[in-house]
Amino acid sequence: MTDANPMRKITIEKVTANIGTGQPGEILDNAKLLLERLSEGKPVITAARNRVPTFKLRKGLEIGTSVVLRGKKATNFLEKAFAAKRKVINAKNFDREGNFAFGVAEYIDFPGAKYDPAMEMYGFDVCVTLKRPGKRVTKRRNKKAKIGKKHKITKEEAMEFVKSEFGVKIE
Protein backbone atom coordinates (compact mmCIF):
# COMPACT_ATOMS: atom_id res chain seq x y z
CA MET A 1 0.00 0.00 0.00
CA THR A 2 2.78 2.47 0.87
CA ASP A 3 4.75 1.49 -2.27
CA ALA A 4 1.89 2.57 -4.54
CA ASN A 5 2.28 6.26 -3.71
CA PRO A 6 5.75 7.67 -4.52
CA MET A 7 5.19 10.53 -2.08
CA ARG A 8 5.14 8.02 0.83
CA LYS A 9 8.64 6.68 0.05
CA ILE A 10 11.06 7.21 2.95
CA THR A 11 14.63 8.27 2.13
CA ILE A 12 17.70 9.36 4.04
CA GLU A 13 17.98 13.15 4.15
CA LYS A 14 21.38 13.23 5.85
CA VAL A 15 23.76 11.33 8.10
CA THR A 16 25.75 13.30 10.67
CA ALA A 17 28.79 11.79 12.36
CA ASN A 18 30.45 13.61 15.23
CA ILE A 19 33.25 13.21 17.73
CA GLY A 20 33.30 15.27 20.90
CA THR A 21 36.82 15.63 22.33
CA GLY A 22 36.06 18.20 25.04
CA GLN A 23 39.20 20.19 24.33
CA PRO A 24 41.03 21.84 21.45
CA GLY A 25 44.53 20.98 20.24
CA GLU A 26 46.11 17.84 18.87
CA ILE A 27 43.31 15.59 20.12
CA LEU A 28 40.76 17.60 18.11
CA ASP A 29 42.99 17.58 15.02
CA ASN A 30 43.32 13.78 15.25
CA ALA A 31 39.55 13.40 15.61
CA LYS A 32 39.00 15.60 12.54
CA LEU A 33 41.50 13.54 10.54
CA LEU A 34 39.80 10.32 11.66
CA LEU A 35 36.34 11.53 10.60
CA GLU A 36 37.76 12.55 7.23
CA ARG A 37 39.25 9.07 6.72
CA LEU A 38 36.11 7.21 7.78
CA SER A 39 33.50 9.30 5.99
CA GLU A 40 35.33 10.64 2.92
CA GLY A 41 33.64 13.97 3.68
CA LYS A 42 34.95 17.32 4.90
CA PRO A 43 34.60 17.63 8.70
CA VAL A 44 34.01 20.95 10.45
CA ILE A 45 35.01 22.05 13.94
CA THR A 46 32.18 22.52 16.46
CA ALA A 47 32.35 24.97 19.35
CA ALA A 48 30.87 24.98 22.84
CA ARG A 49 27.56 26.83 23.05
CA ASN A 50 27.48 27.36 26.81
CA ARG A 51 29.95 28.04 29.59
CA VAL A 52 30.40 25.06 31.94
CA PRO A 53 33.08 25.86 34.56
CA THR A 54 33.03 22.31 36.00
CA PHE A 55 34.36 20.92 32.71
CA LYS A 56 36.54 24.00 32.03
CA LEU A 57 34.44 24.89 28.99
CA ARG A 58 33.79 28.41 27.82
CA LYS A 59 31.49 29.61 25.07
CA GLY A 60 33.19 29.43 21.66
CA LEU A 61 35.86 26.90 22.70
CA GLU A 62 36.46 24.32 19.94
CA ILE A 63 35.53 20.96 21.48
CA GLY A 64 34.42 18.66 18.68
CA THR A 65 34.16 17.88 15.01
CA SER A 66 31.35 16.69 12.78
CA VAL A 67 30.64 15.80 9.17
CA VAL A 68 27.33 15.81 7.30
CA LEU A 69 26.86 13.27 4.49
CA ARG A 70 24.11 13.11 1.90
CA GLY A 71 23.20 10.81 -0.97
CA LYS A 72 25.33 7.78 -1.83
CA LYS A 73 28.11 8.73 0.61
CA ALA A 74 25.57 8.78 3.44
CA THR A 75 24.19 5.36 2.52
CA ASN A 76 27.67 3.80 2.27
CA PHE A 77 28.76 5.30 5.59
CA LEU A 78 25.56 4.14 7.28
CA GLU A 79 26.01 0.56 6.04
CA LYS A 80 29.52 0.49 7.52
CA ALA A 81 28.30 2.04 10.78
CA PHE A 82 25.59 -0.63 11.08
CA ALA A 83 28.25 -3.29 10.45
CA ALA A 84 30.29 -1.79 13.32
CA LYS A 85 27.22 -2.26 15.54
CA ARG A 86 26.81 -5.84 14.19
CA LYS A 87 23.52 -4.77 12.56
CA VAL A 88 21.72 -4.46 15.92
CA ILE A 89 20.33 -1.23 17.35
CA ASN A 90 17.91 -0.45 20.15
CA ALA A 91 14.32 0.73 19.63
CA LYS A 92 15.04 3.54 22.14
CA ASN A 93 17.42 5.08 19.58
CA PHE A 94 14.45 6.25 17.46
CA ASP A 95 12.56 9.47 18.18
CA ARG A 96 8.91 10.40 17.49
CA GLU A 97 9.74 11.96 14.11
CA GLY A 98 11.41 8.76 12.91
CA ASN A 99 15.00 9.99 13.13
CA PHE A 100 17.52 7.85 14.96
CA ALA A 101 21.00 7.97 16.41
CA PHE A 102 23.51 5.50 17.77
CA GLY A 103 27.12 5.42 18.88
CA VAL A 104 30.11 3.40 17.71
CA ALA A 105 32.31 2.75 20.76
CA GLU A 106 35.68 2.47 19.00
CA TYR A 107 36.66 3.49 15.50
CA ILE A 108 38.51 0.20 14.89
CA ASP A 109 35.09 -1.55 14.87
CA PHE A 110 34.29 0.40 11.69
CA PRO A 111 34.93 -1.75 8.56
CA GLY A 112 38.04 -0.64 6.70
CA ALA A 113 39.47 1.37 9.62
CA LYS A 114 42.95 0.44 10.76
CA TYR A 115 44.41 1.14 14.19
CA ASP A 116 46.78 4.12 14.22
CA PRO A 117 49.15 4.11 17.24
CA ALA A 118 49.69 7.87 16.96
CA MET A 119 45.96 8.45 17.46
CA GLU A 120 43.84 7.93 20.57
CA MET A 121 40.97 5.46 20.60
CA TYR A 122 37.91 7.49 19.58
CA GLY A 123 34.25 6.63 19.45
CA PHE A 124 31.72 8.60 17.47
CA ASP A 125 28.00 9.24 17.20
CA VAL A 126 25.93 8.71 14.06
CA CYS A 127 22.67 10.66 13.69
CA VAL A 128 20.33 9.88 10.79
CA THR A 129 17.59 12.19 9.53
CA LEU A 130 14.85 10.61 7.39
CA LYS A 131 12.43 12.38 5.05
CA ARG A 132 9.64 11.89 2.57
CA PRO A 133 9.24 13.84 -0.68
CA GLY A 134 7.60 17.18 0.10
CA LYS A 135 9.47 17.85 3.36
CA ARG A 136 11.05 20.88 1.73
CA VAL A 137 7.85 22.92 2.24
CA THR A 138 8.60 23.09 5.98
CA LYS A 139 12.14 24.41 5.42
CA ARG A 140 11.90 26.71 2.40
CA ARG A 141 12.08 30.49 2.80
CA ASN A 142 9.14 31.42 0.57
CA LYS A 143 5.59 30.21 1.33
CA LYS A 144 6.60 27.99 4.24
CA ALA A 145 3.92 25.42 5.13
CA LYS A 146 3.25 22.52 7.47
CA ILE A 147 3.00 18.93 6.36
CA GLY A 148 0.06 16.77 7.35
CA LYS A 149 0.02 14.29 10.18
CA LYS A 150 -0.25 11.30 7.82
CA HIS A 151 2.78 12.45 5.82
CA LYS A 152 5.10 12.63 8.85
CA ILE A 153 7.35 9.67 9.53
CA THR A 154 6.49 7.74 12.70
CA LYS A 155 8.86 5.78 14.89
CA GLU A 156 7.41 2.47 13.64
CA GLU A 157 7.75 3.45 9.97
CA ALA A 158 11.38 4.46 10.55
CA MET A 159 12.15 1.15 12.26
CA GLU A 160 10.53 -0.77 9.38
CA PHE A 161 12.56 1.29 6.86
CA VAL A 162 15.85 0.47 8.62
CA LYS A 163 14.94 -3.23 8.86
CA SER A 164 14.03 -3.53 5.18
CA GLU A 165 16.75 -1.29 3.66
CA PHE A 166 19.75 -2.30 5.77
CA GLY A 167 18.74 -5.65 7.32
CA VAL A 168 19.20 -4.29 10.85
CA LYS A 169 17.74 -6.12 13.84
CA ILE A 170 15.96 -3.82 16.30
CA GLU A 171 15.78 -4.87 19.94
Side-chain angles (χ1 to χ4, degrees):
M1 185 170 134
T2 55
D3 296 326
N5 188 346
M7 291 298 283
R8 301 281 297 160
K9 187 177 188 300
I10 298 173
T11 57
I12 297 170
E13 182 177 351
K14 65 182 176 179
V15 173
T16 308
N18 61 11
I19 298 175
T21 59
Q23 58 190 2
E26 189 182 340
I27 294 173
L28 184 59
D29 294 338
N30 286 343
K32 187 175 177 183
L33 181 68
L34 177 67
L35 263 186
E36 193 171 339
R37 284 184 195 163
L38 295 179
S39 67
E40 299 169 9
K42 188 172 183 340
V44 296
I45 301 290
T46 55
R49 294 183 187 145
N50 303 8
R51 182 177 162 269
V52 185
T54 336
F55 299 121
K56 297 180 182 174
L57 292 179
R58 61 185 183 276
K59 189 174 180 177
L61 184 70
E62 297 176 340
I63 57 167
T65 181
S66 70
V67 64
V68 177
L69 304 167
R70 297 174 195 276
K72 192 70 177 157
K73 276 188 183 178
T75 308
N76 292 340
F77 182 81
L78 196 54
E79 284 173 357
K80 290 178 184 177
F82 282 139
K85 292 291 284 183
R86 287 162 184 65
K87 294 208 176 222
V88 176
I89 58 173
N90 200 322
K92 291 179 183 177
N93 294 6
F94 290 82
D95 68 2
R96 288 182 302 157
E97 284 85 39
N99 305 312
F100 62 97
F102 59 93
V104 177
E106 295 177 342
Y107 76 87
I108 56 171
D109 294 339
F110 201 79
K114 291 188 172 68
Y115 175 69
D116 185 359
M119 212 177 276
E120 281 188 38
M121 194 56 70
Y122 294 105
F124 57 94
D125 297 321
V126 179
C127 305
V128 182
T129 307
L130 300 176
K131 70 171 184 173
R132 280 197 168 117
K135 174 124 192 250
R136 181 180 167 274
V137 299
T138 63
K139 307 230 186 234
R140 65 188 178 189
R141 191 179 290 191
N142 235 5
K143 294 187 178 178
K144 201 176 274 196
K146 293 181 181 178
I147 56 174
K149 198 176 192 181
K150 287 185 177 180
H151 198 64
K152 290 182 180 175
I153 300 171
T154 64
K155 181 177 180 175
E156 290 74 26
E157 288 173 331
M159 290 193 307
E160 190 55 44
F161 170 76
V162 171
K163 281 181 192 174
S164 63
E165 288 289 313
F166 298 100
V168 174
K169 182 181 172 196
I170 297 173
E171 296 179 336

